[in-house]
Amino acid sequence: MSISQFIDFPNLSDKRGSLVSIDSSVGLPFDVKRIYYIFGTQKNVSRGHHAHKRLHQVALCISGSCEMTIDNGDSQEKILINSPYKAINLPPMLWHEMYNFSQDCILLVLASDFYNEDDYIRDYKNFKKLLNQ
Ligand code: TYD
């Protein structure tokens, strides 16, 4: 079974151009407390390489594209993120790595809580250990 879950955002585009609105009716699995975005990523850079203990996130490319590998400890999946209408669901305890950012990539992330370094698991062996506890 696939471990990637996507959330569709409503496309309110018309002949003038594109518009996407994200509110509580789109089925986000949490109330958003923080928004951040990653852009201007240099060639051959990969980011992420961590999981979160409790933080839940949803991520989408509002411009350009990137690839992501997600890993729940049992299986890994490589996904392309390239739509302003479709977000990948990143629940807690999901290892994720992002790479192959296009030059115009803006990766927007909606998060369930404030930034907290204590919530990060940055060591893959530790991630596996915590999953098996
Ligand atoms: P980090 O989470 O390591 O980035 P990535 O997972 O994309 O590789 O964050 C990079 C730095 O920015 C790190 O020092 C933590 C800081 N940071 C904040 O202060 N607030 C935030 O909301 C985020 C996401 C990061």
Side-chain angles (χ1 to χ4, degrees), residues 34-36 38 46-50 52 57 96 98 114-115 117 120 122:
R34 175 169 55 109
I35 296 170
Y36 63 92
I38 293 171
S46 68
R47 304 197 61 138
H49 301 266
H50 62 247
H52 288 282
Q57 300 187 103
H96 51 284
M98 297 85 79
F114 301 114
Y115 171 74
E117 186 58 37
Y120 280 69
R122 293 192 184 271

Side-chain angles (χ1 to χ4, degrees), residues 71-75 93 95 121 123-133:
D71 180 336
N72 66 1
D74 285 330
S75 54
M93 297 307 284
W95 190 267
I121 307 162
D123 178 69
Y124 188 79
K125 277 192 191 148
N126 191 29
F127 168 64
K128 293 281 280 185
K129 199 170 110 190
L130 289 170
L131 280 174
N132 291 324
Q133 270 175 10

Side-chain angles (χ1 to χ4, degrees), residues 63-78:
S63 169
S65 64
C66 69
E67 289 178 85
M68 185 183 277
T69 295
I70 53 174
D71 180 336
N72 66 1
D74 285 330
S75 54
Q76 276 196 356
E77 231 170 273
K78 188 176 164 178

Side-chain angles (χ1 to χ4, degrees), residues 4 15 17 21 26-27 32 37 46 59 81 86 93 101 110-111 129-130:
S4 56
K15 62 184 181 204
S21 171
V26 300
V32 177
Y37 39 99
S46 68
I81 305 178
K86 200 179 259 306
M93 297 307 284
F101 290 84
L110 313 177
K129 199 170 110 190
L130 289 170

